[in-house]
Every structure is written in structure tokens, then in C-alpha cells.
Amino acid sequence: MREILLCKYGEIVLKGGNRKYFEDVLLKELRYRASFFGNFEITRAQSTIYIEPKDAEADLEGMFGAARRLFGIVAVGRAAVAEKNMDSILATAKAYLPPFLAGKHSFKVEGKRSDKSFPLSSPEISAQTGGAILSVMPRLKVDVHNPEITVRVEVRESAAYIHAGQFKGAGGLPVGTNGKGLLLLSGGIDSPVAGYMMAKRGVKLEALYFESMPYTSEQAREKVLTLAALVARYAGSIQVNVISLTHIQELIAKHCNEEYFTLLLRRYMMQIANMVAEKRGCEAIITGESLGQVASQTIKALNVTNALAKYPVFRPLIGMDKEEIVEISRHIDTYDTSILPFEDCCTVFTPRHPKTRPVLEKVEEEERKLPFDELCREAFESLEAFYIKAKF
């Protein structure tokens, strides 16, 4: 029995004259992912993408998972392929559907006749298929209003497709259709989620990680690269740019008022992020900040950082609480890595009483104690790049 995957896409259908562009980007990425799992033929028709294995070695299960993590796809289901006649459709339904219906109490069948030359109407297809299912699973009940599972029979131009139940896809828009953003990636819970959420809106991700060796460890860097790899399963391959802030942090700790330390450090980060964004062709900066979560994320503190931003700063988590963020991190499998106990640069030289309502002029006065531009250029020269290839 031939089995294929059916992928449905959502808001792409609303793109009007630009729709083909979004579809082409989606198909290109889907074909790239398919290359990891064997030989597949991928076609599209009527807002549905068909993924068909071309030989026995093709890994349909692996492809199923990769398709579910692809932004732009809202649902993925397995389907059996039947010839376009009712004998074949009914025989295939009786052979293919029982494992999907096992343990269920009620079902309904939705027939769809896209090929109008097919001799039966959609209601007739539904009725006959429902009868065939009941003949092999007589304990099931038909419930057209609130079924536990819906069986779908789609009669299209080339064949008929029978499937029961769909799994939710990643949704959103294909990565790369909304430009490129620089994600400030730390080893915490928040920033990987922020990257995931912006990639879901079609943003291609580049990442910037600040480290402070020897105060931070090699394990801390590896942790961040692992997080980037986990996000890349959704967002595609990511270049992670690593920059050392050790010298800057030591000078701030030595020469500046302690309560301004975090604010000053974040301004250095923003200026260096501007430089990396320019070098790498990014059009926005992405952070994992959530309003009021820590002292440096109050409105006044964020304004102090924003004053240096040369690009739009996207903060997709800004109105979310920690529980909501953790829920998403568990969903994308970054949580367990994020909580590994390796410090990042933001936990080094942490002030005992940080400013929560800073005045910009006071921060700039502290900043002038050090050669700001020179130190930013020096840090930028320490850049190391790591290309994280997506593994699906």
C-alpha cells in the first residue's frame, strides 16, 4: 500500500499576488529537508503539498517530523493512496484505517471530490466509506457533530487519498520571507524562544553570543551552540557569532559605579550588535527580554539600551510571563539544555543593587569614564563564527 504525507499551509493562502513567492520558498526548504531522509517527490495542488516516497529506503517517519517543524505548514497527515474508483477506495479504507481508529468511539467521514468528473458526489463518497469502516469496526459509532476522529477521502486529479486525523504543524510563514534578524542568544531560557518566535514570522536568524572567558567556560559556549542547533530544526541553519566581553566587563567593574554595571554592559552589547548586524546584513535585532522580568528589563532600563539601537529591536516575549516562555521552550525542546548550570556573561560581576529606574544622562556620564567606541571595536575584532547546520 502506498502511503504519502499531506501538508496543509495556512496564512500563505492569504498572500494574494505574492502567494507563489511564499509557496516557492516553502517548497525549496521542504525539498532540502527531504534530502536528509531519502528520495521523495514533492508536489503541490490546491493549498496542499504532497510528499511521496519514491523507494523503500525513504524514511517517511523522519520526513513526517521534519515537515511538522517547518514554518509555513499548519497540519501534516499520513494518507493512503487509492485508485480513483470506489472499489479501490473502500478496500484501502478497510485495510488502512483500523490502526488510526483503534480505541476511538466515534467518527465521521468527510468526502471531497476535487475531480468533478468522479461519478459520486462528496456525500455519497462519505456514506459509502463510512459503511465500509463500520463493516470492519462495528463497535464504532458515527457522530457527524462531535466525532473523536474525522476520516477524510479526497478524490483529486491523479488519485484518491484516505487519511484519518492530522497533526498540528509549526504554522507561521516560511523562514526567509521576512528578512534577516540578529538574535542575541544567551544560554538562558528566553532567547532561544525569542528566536523561534521570530523565525515563525518568516525571519531568517543569525545569532550573536557574548562570552567572558575565563569567567565563563567552554561548556557555556557549547551549551549555546547546542541551543542554536535545536532552534535550527525549525529556523534552518544559523551562523553563531561569538564575541568576548571580558576586557569590557573588567574595566566597567574597575572604573564605574557598580549599580550601573548591567546597564552599561547592555549598551556595549547593543552597539556591538549594531556592528555585527551591519557586517552580516541583518535588518533587525532580536532579544529575549520580557518586561519587568529583571532589573535591566524595566521600561526605563530598556530605553537606555534602545537609545543606541540602529536597527529595529524585536522583543517577541515582552508581554509574556515566565510560565508562558517555559511552556514554549519545552515545546521546542530547548528547556532542558537552557537550565544546564553553566554561567554566561550576564551573570558575571552582577551588581548587588542594580538601577531599575535609570536616567539616560547619568548612564552616559558613567559611560564616558571608558573609551566606549574603542572598546567596542576591540571586542568586535574578537569575533569567531560557528556555522550550525540544521539537522532534522
Side-chain angles (χ1 to χ4, degrees), residues 46-316:
Q46 300 171 314
S47 302
T48 301
I49 297 173
Y50 300 80
I51 305 175
E52 181 176 357
K54 301 306 292 181
D55 53 49
E57 284 70 41
D59 180 4
L60 193 68
E61 184 67 31
M63 189 64 228
F64 177 79
R68 286 192 67 194
R69 290 191 293 269
L70 179 59
F71 291 127
I73 291 177
V74 298
V76 183
R78 292 174 176 266
V81 183
E83 295 179 15
K84 284 172 55 177
N85 61 73
M86 285 309 298
D87 288 341
S88 178
I89 289 171
L90 299 182
T92 302
K94 288 191 287 186
Y96 181 70
L97 292 173
F100 295 91
L101 300 174
K104 307 295 183 184
H105 297 93
S106 62
F107 78 104
K108 74 172 181 178
V109 179
E110 290 184 352
K112 183 177 181 180
R113 187 185 60 159
S114 298
D115 179 0
K116 301 306 180 185
S117 67
F118 193 75
L120 274 67
S121 67
S122 294
E124 290 172 329
I125 295 169
S126 299
Q128 290 197 26
T129 305
I133 293 170
L134 290 172
S135 72
V136 293
M137 303 188 75
R139 294 187 178 183
L140 279 173
K141 295 186 180 299
V142 176
D143 185 342
V144 297
H145 300 295
N146 295 294
E148 283 189 67
I149 192 166
T150 298
V151 172
R152 291 179 171 84
V153 180
E154 302 182 33
V155 180
R156 296 184 178 264
E157 295 298 327
S158 59
Y161 303 95
I162 298 135
H163 53 105
Q166 293 180 322
F167 291 84
K168 188 176 181 181
L173 295 171
V175 170
T177 56
N178 264 327
K180 185 178 179 182
L182 181 66
L183 172 66
L184 303 191
L185 182 62
S186 73
I189 295 171
D190 302 337
S191 58
V193 174
Y196 163 84
M197 292 180 68
M198 292 312 303
K200 187 174 183 177
R201 299 312 305 156
V203 176
K204 173 65 178 172
L205 297 182
E206 182 109 0
L208 172 58
Y209 169 60
F210 293 105
E211 65 181 9
S212 300
M213 290 187 179
Y215 304 104
T216 57
S217 64
E218 186 68 35
Q219 292 99 317
R221 176 192 286 189
E222 290 302 318
K223 172 184 174 181
V224 168
L225 297 179
T226 299
L227 288 171
L230 292 170
V231 174
R233 295 183 306 158
Y234 295 89
S237 300
I238 300 172
Q239 177 164 308
V240 180
N241 303 282
V242 179
I243 285 179
S244 173
L245 289 182
T246 305
H247 189 211
I248 290 173
Q249 289 182 281
E250 289 174 338
L251 290 176
I252 293 174
K254 183 176 181 180
H255 297 286
C256 300
N257 189 324
E258 181 187 355
E259 62 187 359
Y260 288 98
F261 176 83
T262 302
L263 293 164
L264 292 169
L265 182 62
R266 287 184 174 270
R267 281 171 62 84
Y268 276 98
M269 288 178 172
M270 182 59 74
Q271 181 64 6
I272 296 167
N274 289 331
M275 298 165 73
V276 176
E278 181 178 6
K279 176 183 175 66
R280 295 294 301 162
C282 298
E283 302 161 85
I285 292 170
I286 304 163
T287 79
E289 291 160 318
S290 171
L291 189 62
Q293 187 177 119
V294 294
S296 61
Q297 295 176 21
T298 64
I299 289 179
K300 287 185 176 295
L302 292 174
N303 281 333
V304 165
T305 306
N306 274 1
L308 284 175
K310 295 180 181 178
Y311 296 86
V313 181
F314 295 151
R315 296 180 171 96

Side-chain angles (χ1 to χ4, degrees), residues 11-26:
E11 64 181 289
I12 290 177
V13 302
L14 306 176
K15 293 302 179 182
N18 293 324
R19 174 171 168 172
K20 185 177 184 302
Y21 164 70
F22 285 86
E23 289 178 332
D24 288 346
V25 174
L26 181 63

